[in-house]
Amino acid sequence: MSIEKMNSGLLILAEMEASLPPSERKIAQYILKHPAEAIKMTAIDIGKQSHTSSAAVIRLCKSLNLSGIQELKLRIAGDLQSEKIDVRDIEPNEPLESIIDKITNHSMQILRETADLIDQKELKHAVDAILNAKRIFFFGVGASAIAAMDAYQKFVRINKYCMFFTDTHLGATAVVNAEEGDVVVGISFSGETHEVAKVLEIANGVNATTISLTRYGNSLIASLADICLYTSPKVEATFRSGATSSRLAQLHVLDILFMCVATSTYEETIEYLDKTRTVIKTLHEKVGKRRITYS
């Protein structure tokens, strides 16, 4: 990630605060209360101000999966420079124009935060796993099933052997027959969905490569995955509790994953997409006796 695009430091701290060890939690709390001051301090200064130590500051950065105090400060500085978007829930009899603005602003924020949280090393691992996969299994339940289906319809168009499941029994019976080299992608915004966790557990038992897509932070599903991808952890507002923003964030990450795979096999991808577009067009033609070839 380039320096000028670094942010989400405050988001990461807020999400991870509760799960941090006591000394690291004190540092996180201090920085969240005094972000503008913290970015001007050294690790020693932050340790003193939070009544901990510089060593605890370094440990905090490791817990947050950051390269060090400099990256943390750069991310926080990016947060402070970013334009604040007012995200509120809708109100009774709200004007249409206001609803359009609120939903659009919220979606923009979710997409930006999700992009900022993508670990490019993990993304590269996921791309390599997909590229080398014999088979790909996408699994999600509820709203996450929509993301699983969307990923399936994208990758199947570029000739990847893949399946998606929303039924736990079907998913389990398919994944138990997976092999080393196969990839199983478990999708759950909360990261705690029992069915998704079980499917990843089964996948690990047969040595398939496992990828999780969850909200940022520690979770059961992320702990079960070989490769972890994250979305913004922002909680859904009351009227968006139908997983509007979380679904949008999941689709965003899967789109990025797809495009990364596509660009790695650009010529083949274009050929497959052209072929699938051609066959879709023929579906609207009158059925005849002539044989249609697509090679």
Side-chain angles (χ1 to χ4, degrees):
M1 181 181 292
S2 60
I3 290 176
E4 64 271 15
K5 289 186 178 179
M6 278 193 173
N7 43 25
S8 290
L10 297 176
L11 180 67
I12 291 171
L13 283 169
E15 185 62 22
M16 296 293 289
E17 178 190 344
S19 62
L20 293 169
S23 60
E24 294 175 34
R25 189 181 311 131
K26 288 176 67 176
I27 298 167
Q29 290 169 345
Y30 173 78
I31 295 175
L32 287 169
K33 289 180 181 178
H34 310 282
E37 293 83 356
I39 62 174
K40 301 173 185 175
M41 297 179 180
T42 64
I44 294 174
D45 294 333
I46 294 173
K48 287 181 179 178
Q49 290 298 322
S50 60
H51 305 291
T52 57
S53 66
S54 59
V57 175
I58 302 305
R59 290 197 300 272
L60 170 64
C61 294
K62 290 182 178 179
S63 296
L64 300 178
N65 198 29
L66 302 179
S67 60
I69 185 64
Q70 192 64 15
E71 182 182 347
L72 177 58
K73 291 197 295 183
L74 285 170
R75 284 181 175 273
I76 294 170
D79 291 336
L80 297 177
Q81 293 171 4
S82 298
E83 180 181 354
K84 302 300 181 185
I85 299 176
D86 183 20
V87 179
R88 296 164 293 158
D89 209 345
I90 61 174
E91 300 169 359
N93 301 311
E94 182 147 3
L96 298 181
E97 182 180 0
S98 177
I99 294 174
I100 292 170
D101 287 342
K102 283 184 178 180
I103 298 302
T104 301
N105 286 339
H106 186 68
S107 296
M108 289 169 59
Q109 178 175 311
I110 288 294
L111 293 179
R112 184 69 266 166
E113 288 176 355
T114 294
D116 292 336
L117 288 168
I118 291 176
D119 184 322
Q120 293 188 20
K121 289 182 180 178
E122 286 291 273
L123 177 62
K124 181 64 165 61
H125 290 324
V127 171
D128 290 342
I130 296 289
L131 284 171
N132 297 315
K134 301 175 185 176
R135 295 176 294 180
I136 310 165
F137 304 83
F138 294 99
F139 185 75
V141 297
S144 294
I146 297 172
M149 181 174 65
D150 183 76
Y152 161 78
Q153 69 90 17
K154 280 183 171 64
F155 283 99
V156 78
R157 288 193 66 186
I158 60 171
N159 201 32
K160 290 294 180 183
Y161 187 93
C162 55
M163 295 169 274
F164 84 96
F165 299 96
T166 61
D167 180 280
T168 310
H169 290 190
L170 289 176
T173 53
V175 169
V176 77
N177 290 313
E179 303 172 349
E180 188 172 353
D182 291 338
V183 172
V184 179
V185 183
I187 306 172
S188 163
F189 176 69
S190 69
E192 304 294 337
T193 307
H194 177 75
E195 296 90 337
V196 179
K198 287 302 295 183
V199 167
L200 287 189
E201 187 177 58
I202 293 167
N204 287 331
V206 295
N207 294 321
T209 299
T210 49
I211 301 175
S212 65
L213 176 54
T214 66
R215 58 179 287 166
Y216 181 84
N218 296 325
S219 69
L220 172 61
I221 289 169
S223 72
L224 291 169
D226 300 313
I227 302 166
C228 300
L229 301 176
Y230 297 106
T231 68
S232 170
K234 288 296 180 67
V235 177
E236 302 277 357
T238 303
F239 279 90
R240 289 189 291 270
S241 59
T244 302
S245 59
S246 60
R247 186 187 68 239
L248 187 65
Q250 289 170 344
L251 294 173
H252 188 49
V253 174
L254 291 168
D255 278 350
I256 290 171
L257 179 61
F258 173 78
M259 290 300 178
C260 289
V261 170
T263 194
S264 299
T265 54
Y266 187 83
E267 296 301 328
E268 290 179 42
T269 296
I270 294 299
E271 182 180 342
Y272 290 134
L273 290 175
D274 286 344
K275 188 181 293 187
T276 55
R277 273 193 287 268
T278 298
V279 76
I280 293 299
K281 287 181 181 179
T282 67
L283 297 179
H284 302 288
E285 297 175 358
K286 184 177 180 180
V287 177
K289 293 183 178 180
R290 70 182 181 87
R291 183 185 298 273
I292 302 173
T293 58
Y294 303 99
S295 57

